[in-house]
């Protein structure tokens, strides 16, 4: 059932993360007054009993499942048990509890790394499970595929209204800037900023990229994802099922660029003029993962934030966070 009433109780799981926070603020700005969230200290979503107790006490009408263990290519490779195990446990607890208390709709957030490494580009939703996964993030991908499949199974077996959004690589304010665990965009913003700051002119300090810089990625500003989540929450179920019988909707911007092109844009925003070097001991990961966004477009949604604008806002947030 779609979201209509401004006082419907909406549980945003993971509301302190970059994605959950953006969703929370977007819903608040749109006039929704009855949002609930719990920090991971207050509620460990991997614990099915605690999660079930929370759902029974709160009886949310809508759930957005944005809680997940996430990270960049290196973190995925280093902590496979956490990326697979924690995400499976969170999905199992939250999706089951939502089913048991009978929520009106659950929106689950997946990731476009669920698609095969060599899927056709742009990747349509029905390329899921048509080929082998990219090895560096297979653990996370398997967990996200399982989460989507659990939603699909709940719909098929019980008629539950559960929808999965598959966002492409996300970035924005509140992102992880730790160079060991982050995704590429915040990592390169930080590296370019630190290289620029090292000398007054900054002109001769290099920035080092991981891998060849040739892989292509599509970047979605986190506020655009939040907008897409609200758009889907507010769309009637029949309309969603008509374009997405499997309950899956890609969310992207429709264009990608290489990491070598991305660093050029970031250097421009940051004002770094030094050279770019490559650390080829680090993995490239999947060569390309542009998503086919025609399902969301046919429902009437598209992303609004140009990449340069999103990078400028993210850089400003980073500067504020290191100066505060
Ligand atoms: O964003 P990223 O870590 O993850 O890396 P994925 C994207 C590309 O940027 C890879 C390159 O080719 C990296 O080698 N890269 C260059 C860098 N310099 C850097 C750097 O300093 N830091 C990082 N992190 N990358 C993730 C998955 O894949 O995408 C997750 O691991 C998830 O599971 C996420 O699906 C959306 O795009 O390769």
């Amino acid at each position: 059932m779609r979201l209509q009433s401004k006082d419907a109780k909406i549980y945003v799981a993971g509301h302190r993360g970059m994605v959950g926070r953006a969703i929370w603020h977007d819903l608040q700005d749109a006039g929704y007054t009855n949002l609930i969230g719990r920090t991971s200290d207050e509620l460990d979503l991997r614990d099915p009993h605690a999660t079930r107790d929370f759902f029974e006490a709160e009886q949310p009408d809508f759930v957005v499942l944005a809680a997940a263990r996430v990270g960049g290519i290196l973190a995925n490779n280093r902590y496979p048990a956490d990326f697979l195990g924690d995400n499976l446990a969170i999905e199992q607890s939250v999706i089951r509890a939502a089913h048991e208390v009978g929520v009106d709709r659950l929106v689950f957030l997946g990731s476009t790394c669920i698609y095969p490494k060599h899927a056709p580009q742009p990747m349509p939703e029905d390329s899921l499970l048509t080929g082998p996964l990219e090895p560096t993030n297979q653990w996370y991908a398997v967990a996200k595929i399982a989460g989507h499949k659990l939603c699909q199974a709940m719909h098929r077996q019980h008629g539950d209204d559960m929808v999965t959004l598959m966002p492409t690589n996300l970035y924005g304010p509140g992102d992880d800037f730790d160079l060991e665990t982050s995704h590429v965009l915040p990592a390169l913003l930080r590296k370019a900023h630190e290289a620029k700051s090292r000398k007054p002119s900054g002109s001769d300090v290099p920035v080092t990229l991981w891998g060849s810089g040739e892989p292509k990625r599509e970047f979605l500003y986190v506020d655009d994802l939040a907008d897409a989540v609200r758009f889907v929450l507010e769309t009637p179920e029949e309309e969603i099922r008509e374009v997405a019988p499997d309950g899956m909707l890609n969310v992207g911007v429709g264009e990608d660029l290489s990491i070598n092109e991305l660093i050029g844009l970031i250097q421009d925003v940051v004002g770094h003029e030094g050279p770019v070097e490559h650390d080829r001991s680090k993995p490239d990961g999947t060569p390309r993962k542009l998503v086919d966004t025609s399902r969301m477009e046919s429902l009437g949604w598209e992303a609004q934030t140009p990449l340069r604008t999103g990078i400028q806002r993210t850089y400003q947030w980073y500067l504020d966070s290191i100066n505060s």
Side-chain angles (χ1 to χ4, degrees):
M1 193 187 298
R2 75 165 163 149
L3 175 62
Q4 279 177 294
S5 164
K6 295 291 183 196
D7 60 8
K9 191 181 253 195
I10 310 170
Y11 170 44
V12 181
H15 74 302
R16 288 285 180 86
M18 173 180 74
V19 171
R21 193 177 315 170
I23 293 167
W24 181 284
H25 286 132
D26 176 78
L27 287 166
Q28 236 173 13
D29 292 348
Y32 291 99
T33 55
N34 198 0
L35 307 183
I36 53 168
R38 292 289 184 276
T39 64
S40 49
D41 286 344
E42 290 164 345
L43 173 61
D44 182 351
L45 292 172
R46 295 169 302 182
D47 177 346
H49 305 293
T51 306
R52 168 91 195 245
D53 289 348
F54 165 75
F55 270 75
E56 276 180 353
E58 290 292 342
Q59 298 285 329
D61 301 310
F62 292 86
V63 176
V64 180
L65 179 41
R69 177 173 288 273
V70 296
I73 194 163
L74 213 62
N76 270 260
N77 231 355
R78 270 192 195 151
Y79 310 109
D82 294 350
F83 276 79
L84 178 57
D86 287 353
N87 285 314
L88 280 177
I90 291 169
E91 291 157 5
Q92 166 80 344
S93 302
V94 175
I95 295 168
R96 284 197 78 85
H99 163 70
E100 280 162 11
V101 304
V103 302
D104 289 342
R105 178 175 295 166
L106 177 142
V107 173
F108 170 59
L109 296 183
S111 162
T112 56
C113 68
I114 56 147
Y115 294 119
K117 177 168 185 165
H118 298 296
Q121 305 287 320
M123 306 180 294
E125 286 84 350
D126 58 16
S127 60
L128 180 66
L129 294 173
T130 55
L133 297 166
E134 155 60 32
T136 53
N137 57 29
Q138 58 179 311
W139 321 98
Y140 181 74
V142 165
K144 289 294 183 181
I145 292 170
H148 163 65
K149 284 289 171 192
L150 186 55
C151 291
Q152 200 183 4
M154 289 293 190
H155 175 71
R156 178 181 286 207
Q157 190 177 331
H158 303 290
D160 293 352
D161 185 355
M162 296 191 175
V163 179
T164 304
L165 299 192
M166 296 297 179
T168 188
N169 288 38
L170 297 164
Y171 72 100
D175 214 335
D176 174 12
F177 282 82
D178 179 325
L179 296 178
E180 289 289 299
T181 52
S182 65
H183 290 96
V184 62
L185 197 149
L188 296 188
L189 265 177
R190 177 173 174 174
K191 287 180 183 178
H193 174 76
E194 288 180 352
K196 178 187 101 165
S197 312
R198 217 165 294 155
K199 281 191 181 173
S201 75
S203 59
D204 56 354
V205 181
V207 161
T208 305
L209 304 191
W210 294 353
S212 67
E214 283 162 23
K216 297 183 93 174
R217 295 289 183 273
E218 179 185 9
F219 296 97
L220 178 70
Y221 189 59
V222 70
D223 287 358
D224 283 349
L225 174 65
D227 187 61
V229 167
R230 182 165 51 80
F231 175 86
V232 166
L233 281 169
E234 292 172 342
T235 300
E237 186 178 6
E238 323 72 76
E239 284 180 32
I240 295 174
R241 295 280 160 195
E242 199 180 318
V243 302
D246 51 11
M248 239 171 96
L249 294 162
N250 286 339
V251 188
V253 297
E255 57 184 17
D256 58 2
L257 75 173
S258 72
I259 302 304
N260 285 327
E261 290 168 322
L262 176 70
I263 187 61
L265 187 52
I266 286 179
Q267 285 181 297
D268 210 35
V269 169
V270 169
H272 173 254
E273 291 171 356
V276 174
E277 296 178 345
H278 293 86
D279 173 0
R280 290 172 198 273
S281 69
K282 297 286 195 310
D284 267 352
T286 202
R288 198 178 178 199
K289 48 176 173 175
L290 180 66
V291 287
D292 180 337
T293 52
S294 42
R295 287 185 177 184
M296 281 296 275
E297 276 162 33
S298 72
L299 286 172
W301 185 88
E302 55 184 64
Q304 297 298 326
T305 311
L307 183 56
R308 175 182 284 274
T309 308
I311 291 176
Q312 284 165 334
R313 289 183 192 153
T314 308
Y315 183 45
Q316 190 54 53
W317 182 88
Y318 173 66
L319 291 178
D320 294 345
S321 75
I322 57 175
N323 293 325
S324 65

